[in-house]
Amino acid sequence: MSKKQTTLKTETMKKVLIIMLALVSGFGFSQETDRKKEMKKEMMQERQNLTAEQKAELQTKKMTLHLDLTEAQQRQVYVVQLEMAKKRELIKEEKKAQKEEAGFYDKANKRLDHQIAYKEKMKAILTDQQYETWTEKMNNHKKRKALIKQKKKQ
């Protein structure tokens, strides 16, 4: 074999090796995303199995970390969160029981009334600075949910 042929074989082998590495790493990456999706599904199922009290306690603790709530505020927020969690459970049960949809207007109006009441209760409990931080966090959460929803459609 000539030097040219040896160089050509070496170059070809390098290209084949690079392609094989790219394929193997691509398969590994896809398996990793599948595992992440499975873990997210499991987490969602675990969240759905939480009681209203557990949900309220977790949400109150998260808010305490983000807003530096006092003990009194924590108790008040817990009560509001518990009330909201129970309302959400009732709404979920109503949706299951009522397969046929009510009008869009009625559903949207009821949902917005609940949001307004929740916001007023939180405003009464939190300081101005805490309330501002909380509303910013809620707005960011809405934006993030919209992006996720948009990605799922694609």
Side-chain angles (χ1 to χ4, degrees), residues 1-13:
M1 265 198 266
S2 70
K3 191 173 185 178
K4 214 175 204 182
Q5 287 176 333
T6 309
T7 308
L8 186 61
K9 279 187 175 182
T10 307
E11 290 297 319
T12 306
M13 290 298 285

Side-chain angles (χ1 to χ4, degrees), residues 4 23 58 73 93 109 115 128:
K4 214 175 204 182
L23 289 173
L58 290 175
Q73 286 177 321
E93 289 174 16
N109 197 23
Q115 287 178 350
D128 290 339

Side-chain angles (χ1 to χ4, degrees), residues 6 11 15-17 26-27 37 57-58 63 69-71 74 83 85 87 99 106 124 130 135 140-142:
T6 309
E11 290 297 319
K15 289 178 184 177
V16 169
L17 189 64
F27 288 131
K37 286 179 183 177
E57 185 177 345
L58 290 175
M63 289 182 69
L69 301 178
T70 65
E71 290 286 327
Q74 287 179 38
E83 181 184 324
K87 279 184 184 179
K99 289 288 180 177
D106 294 332
Q130 289 172 332
T135 52
N140 289 339
H141 180 70
K142 286 179 185 179

Side-chain angles (χ1 to χ4, degrees), residues 115-126:
Q115 287 178 350
I116 291 168
Y118 178 59
K119 207 170 188 180
E120 287 173 357
K121 288 177 184 177
M122 294 306 294
K123 190 170 189 174
I125 295 170
L126 302 174

Side-chain angles (χ1 to χ4, degrees), residues 44-61:
M44 289 297 288
Q45 287 175 345
E46 286 181 31
R47 281 186 191 156
Q48 290 175 349
N49 293 335
L50 294 176
T51 64
E53 290 80 11
Q54 290 171 324
K55 290 176 184 177
E57 185 177 345
L58 290 175
Q59 190 62 31
T60 302
K61 286 183 178 183

Side-chain angles (χ1 to χ4, degrees), residues 122-147:
M122 294 306 294
K123 190 170 189 174
I125 295 170
L126 302 174
T127 65
D128 290 339
Q129 184 180 7
Q130 289 172 332
Y131 181 75
E132 186 178 319
T133 305
W134 179 74
T135 52
E136 285 176 17
K137 184 177 183 274
M138 296 301 287
N139 289 335
N140 289 339
H141 180 70
K142 286 179 185 179
K143 289 177 186 176
R144 216 174 29 231
K145 278 180 86 173
L147 284 173

Side-chain angles (χ1 to χ4, degrees), residues 48-49 88-101 107:
Q48 290 175 349
N49 293 335
R88 281 191 294 270
E89 285 180 358
L90 284 174
I91 290 170
K92 188 187 277 188
E93 289 174 16
E94 286 175 5
K95 283 182 180 180
K96 285 181 182 178
Q98 185 184 28
K99 289 288 180 177
E100 57 197 51
E101 291 187 29
K107 288 171 69 175

